[in-house]
Amino acid sequence: MSEHLEREYREREDRECEYRERRALIGRGAAVWTRTAGTGPQRVLPDGCTDLIWSEAGPDGELLVAGPDTRARLAPGPPGTRAVGLRFAPGQGPAVLGVPAHELRDQLVPLAALWPGAEVRRLAERIADVERIADVERTAEAERTAEAERTAARQAARGRLLEDAALGRLRTAEPPDPVLAAVVAGVSRGTGVAGIAAAVGLGERQLHRRSLAAFGYGPKTLGRVLRLNRALDLARTGVPFAAVAATAGYADQAHLAREVRTLTGVPLGRLLQGSGG
């Protein structure tokens, strides 16, 4: 599993956006994130995950679901647009959303297309009410930062509401497919499809079908996406690109460069400078 999903809290601010992330309460690997759009393109990178999102775009905001991406995409919204998301761990989303992951692959859809209308309206109303729930009292000393504090508190409250909605659905969902953890572990180690299939006692076609339903794509593509995220985690810490390639499991630096450009649309150096969003 990608290291960025394991960190309890991450904060990044650049000219593109302001982004914060914390570990979610719904299980290992899930995260709650907040983002304020900047002036540049908001490039969302593939990570093998599905997200439940509230965006303030539109007069009353909107609830959306972002399926697992096979390539980077540009997030909608003008500069200053705020969003809060609950990113499910790879394979976790279908239990909450109620549809196989491959039906959402490379898509951004309204939550109302997946959940009953009444359930979506209740969640939307609760999120709209966070102005009251998350209000921060003003003091003379805190006047300059009061609005920023209120905004952060509102975003935190919205994230908790998304978690509550997901937890409610997980309590009544079927138990997770026991094969999923082994698939994630196998592709993260670089094990081939045949080796993973043998380890979990499935044929390769059966494994592919189970992977499509859980992750949105087959184990080979999942492995490429998770390897990309491992490589980016290393590169962001200043590790030389050649060492990144060797550590993350690429044949060489040229292989790393090709994969980054294929999956993200930009070269690795540009991605690290902030173009990745």
Side-chain angles (χ1 to χ4, degrees):
M1 186 171 295
S2 174
E3 293 177 8
H4 83 286
L5 294 179
E6 301 296 331
R7 287 198 291 267
E8 181 172 357
Y9 186 84
R10 184 184 69 178
E11 177 175 335
R12 187 179 80 247
E13 297 188 12
D14 56 34
R15 70 177 182 84
E16 303 268 335
C17 67
E18 294 180 6
Y19 179 91
R20 291 174 175 82
E21 178 181 303
R22 67 165 174 82
R23 181 175 295 177
L25 303 176
I26 62 170
R28 182 179 175 87
V32 175
W33 54 263
T34 63
R35 184 180 65 225
T36 302
T39 57
Q42 310 303 304
R43 191 178 301 275
V44 179
L45 305 182
D47 57 10
C49 303
T50 304
D51 294 68
L52 174 59
I53 302 168
W54 177 87
S55 170
E56 71 174 10
D60 301 313
E62 56 184 344
L63 285 162
L64 303 167
V65 172
D69 294 314
T70 56
R71 299 289 188 276
R73 60 180 175 83
L74 298 182
T81 301
R82 297 185 182 92
V84 182
L86 173 58
R87 185 175 64 235
F88 302 107
Q92 188 181 42
V96 176
L97 300 171
V99 295
H102 65 82
E103 294 187 11
L104 300 172
R105 185 175 54 227
D106 294 321
Q107 295 189 58
L108 183 66
V109 302
L111 180 62
L114 307 178
W115 288 7
E119 186 175 359
V120 175
R121 285 192 297 272
R122 284 195 299 271
L123 178 57
E125 288 168 0
R126 294 182 68 197
I127 289 176
D129 199 34
V130 300
E131 295 290 341
R132 176 184 60 81
I133 297 172
D135 190 29
V136 177
E137 293 183 0
R138 288 176 179 258
T139 65
E141 296 79 8
E143 187 70 25
R144 288 180 301 173
T145 59
E147 182 55 36
E149 290 175 355
R150 283 196 298 276
T151 296
R154 287 193 292 265
Q155 296 291 73
R158 289 168 181 143
R160 289 193 295 270
L161 289 171
L162 294 180
E163 287 181 284
D164 288 345
L167 283 169
R169 286 201 147 224
L170 284 171
R171 290 188 189 103
T172 59
E174 294 291 326
D177 187 339
V179 167
L180 304 186
V183 174
V184 172
V187 299
S188 297
R189 289 192 301 267
T191 306
V193 174
I196 296 172
V200 299
L202 294 175
E204 291 186 34
R205 290 185 179 180
Q206 289 177 303
L207 177 64
H208 188 78
R209 285 195 298 270
R210 301 266 279 271
S211 296
L212 284 178
F215 308 116
Y217 22 65
K220 185 175 180 179
T221 299
L222 177 66
R224 291 178 65 199
V225 167
L226 297 184
R227 182 176 59 184
L228 168 71
N229 281 275
R230 291 197 302 275
L232 293 179
D233 283 340
L234 290 169
R236 288 180 182 127
T237 67
V239 176
F241 291 174
V244 168
T247 304
Y250 293 93
D252 50 32
Q253 187 174 334
H255 183 204
L256 166 66
R258 289 194 302 272
E259 280 288 275
V260 169
R261 186 154 200 144
T262 297
L263 293 174
T264 73
V266 294
L268 178 56
R270 181 179 168 193
L271 197 64
L272 297 178
Q273 292 169 1
S275 299

